[in-house]
Amino acid sequence: MKNLCWLATGGTIASRPSSNGLVPGFTAQKMLDMLPELKKYGSIDCYDIMNLDSTNLQPHDWQFIARCIEKYYTQYDGFVITHGTDTLSWTSCALSCMLENPAKPIVVIGSQLTLEEENTDAKENLNAAFAAAASKLRGVYAVCGGQIISGLWAKKIYSEDLRSIQSVNMPPVATFCGSDITWSDFVCPSATGEFKVHYELEEKVAQVKIMPGLDGEILAALADLGYKGIVLEAYGAGGIPFSENENKDIDSAVKRLTEQGIVCVCVTQCLYDGVYMNRYEVGIKAVEAGIIPAGKYSAEAATVKLMTALGRKMTFDQIKQLF
């Protein structure tokens, strides 16, 4: 019999109607009472650690969730964190970066419909989440939209569709429909060292989406505001514009930032495939200016990796190795 820990943070899955629309209202224990079949996966203890729409979650909330996992780590065989879908991918990425060598499954799960709605996706998502938490998986995972996903590769791609969270640029660990789960040949990351939690986060990290006409002064302004890192969402395979017009020359702006010690990372605006910045002049020149290509990582994953790396005072070369 597995000992499982349910950490409830709010989200749609726990919401009920109010005069101001849906707001989190169910406790974890109440949800468990509504779905007693979850107890087949083990003994479940419930903790309501916050009660938020995930839109309102901030980096200090990731730290609090990590503290709860650290507090209860030795007592349980697996963890389920119920969460809203809007920032679920951010939290799963954050925990993936903050938790070193987890030897147990830590599962972040959300739903598009509330638990009490007709034809809700919450029930099968919870079933899959507790199945994952009771399994031999190690590490952080996201569950929603018919997939169990390695935490760094989860992304919300639908605002209404029940397939909201999907695994992007990495095959899912498993797919599920109803109570049926189909596991892939996924190989768990090894957990050979001591379990540690890295709480350090540099919040002065910004995302900037490149668009035609973007002025490099925006990046300079971020530097003036004390930002330590910038994630640029570039075109296609990592295209960043350069120009004889100094204000539109983003490459020169990147070079000035890196010379000031501000770390710049490049992701693509495209949903799939990532950046390949050795292919086109607009990518090669940006790398020469000092930007770090993020490979296949999403904007969320790249940003959180940068926040945690800067929080831990890693050097530029050390950060480069993370991508």
Side-chain angles (χ1 to χ4, degrees):
M1 178 70 74
K2 297 280 187 174
N3 290 318
L4 305 177
C5 178
W6 184 337
L7 301 175
T9 70
T12 296
I13 194 167
S15 288
R16 308 199 73 188
S18 77
S19 58
N20 290 319
L22 291 174
V23 295
F26 282 127
T27 65
Q29 185 60 56
K30 177 60 178 175
M31 289 189 280
L32 181 58
D33 291 342
M34 295 167 69
L35 293 173
E37 61 270 25
L38 295 177
K39 295 177 183 178
K40 69 184 178 183
Y41 294 110
S43 174
I44 302 172
D45 290 336
C46 298
Y47 303 90
D48 299 292
I49 61 173
M50 58 185 75
N51 198 35
L52 295 174
D53 186 305
S54 73
T55 295
N56 291 324
L57 258 74
Q58 300 295 329
H60 65 81
D61 295 309
W62 304 335
Q63 292 169 322
F64 184 67
I65 294 170
R67 288 189 193 283
C68 292
I69 293 170
E70 183 178 42
K71 177 180 178 180
Y72 297 122
Y73 186 77
T74 60
Q75 299 178 39
Y76 296 100
D77 301 305
F79 295 81
V80 170
I81 304 161
T82 44
H83 197 287
T85 59
D86 282 350
T87 59
L88 187 149
S89 60
W90 284 92
T91 298
S92 67
C93 287
L95 293 177
S96 296
C97 294
M98 295 170 71
L99 306 181
E100 182 180 352
N101 290 319
K104 305 172 182 183
I106 298 159
V107 185
V108 190
I109 171 254
S111 67
Q112 289 288 75
L113 299 175
T114 70
L115 185 57
E116 62 184 354
E117 287 185 83
E118 187 176 359
N119 299 319
T120 181
D121 56 331
K123 295 179 181 179
E124 63 180 82
N125 290 358
L126 279 165
N127 179 76
F130 276 96
S135 73
K136 295 182 180 180
L137 291 175
R138 297 182 299 272
V140 178
Y141 300 88
V143 170
C144 197
Q147 295 185 349
I148 299 174
I149 305 160
S150 187
L152 272 174
W153 303 96
K155 188 173 182 68
K156 185 168 184 177
I157 64 173
Y158 294 102
S159 63
E160 292 292 319
D161 196 290
L162 299 186
R163 296 170 294 171
S164 60
I165 309 289
Q166 296 288 289
S167 187
V168 173
N169 291 332
M170 183 69 66
V173 174
T175 57
F176 61 90
C177 182
S179 60
D180 296 326
I181 301 174
T182 302
W183 298 90
S184 70
D185 294 328
F186 173 78
V187 178
C188 283
S190 60
T192 55
E194 179 186 357
F195 174 68
K196 297 179 182 178
V197 182
H198 298 284
Y199 293 106
E200 309 90 342
L201 290 171
E202 174 53 70
E203 295 192 36
K204 285 288 188 176
V205 173
Q207 282 184 11
V208 177
K209 190 168 188 173
I210 290 178
M211 56 174 281
L214 180 70
D215 198 317
E217 289 185 356
I218 290 176
L219 302 184
L222 289 171
D224 292 341
L225 290 170
Y227 277 78
K228 307 299 183 185
I230 296 174
V231 175
L232 282 177
E233 295 187 50
Y235 304 126
I240 294 177
F242 60 87
S243 173
E244 293 181 359
N245 181 336
E246 185 177 350
N247 290 338
K248 308 303 178 187
D249 189 347
I250 305 303
D251 275 350
S252 293
V254 168
K255 185 175 182 179
R256 288 192 292 271
L257 291 174
T258 55
E259 288 173 347
Q260 296 175 62
I262 298 168
V263 182
C264 298
V265 174
C266 181
V267 298
T268 178
Q269 295 175 19
C270 301
L271 182 58
Y272 293 104
D273 297 336
V275 293
Y276 296 87
M277 299 184 73
N278 60 350
R279 183 175 299 169
Y280 299 99
E281 183 183 20
V282 289
I284 293 170
K285 287 177 70 68
V287 173
E288 291 174 348
I291 203 162
I292 298 173
K296 292 187 176 183
Y297 287 118
S298 67
E300 295 94 325
T303 302
V304 173
K305 284 175 78 69
L306 186 54
M307 292 172 73
T308 54
L310 290 172
R312 295 173 64 183
K313 308 299 182 185
M314 289 186 179
T315 66
F316 179 86
D317 288 337
Q318 288 173 324
I319 294 172
K320 195 172 181 180
Q321 291 300 314
L322 296 176
F323 295 98

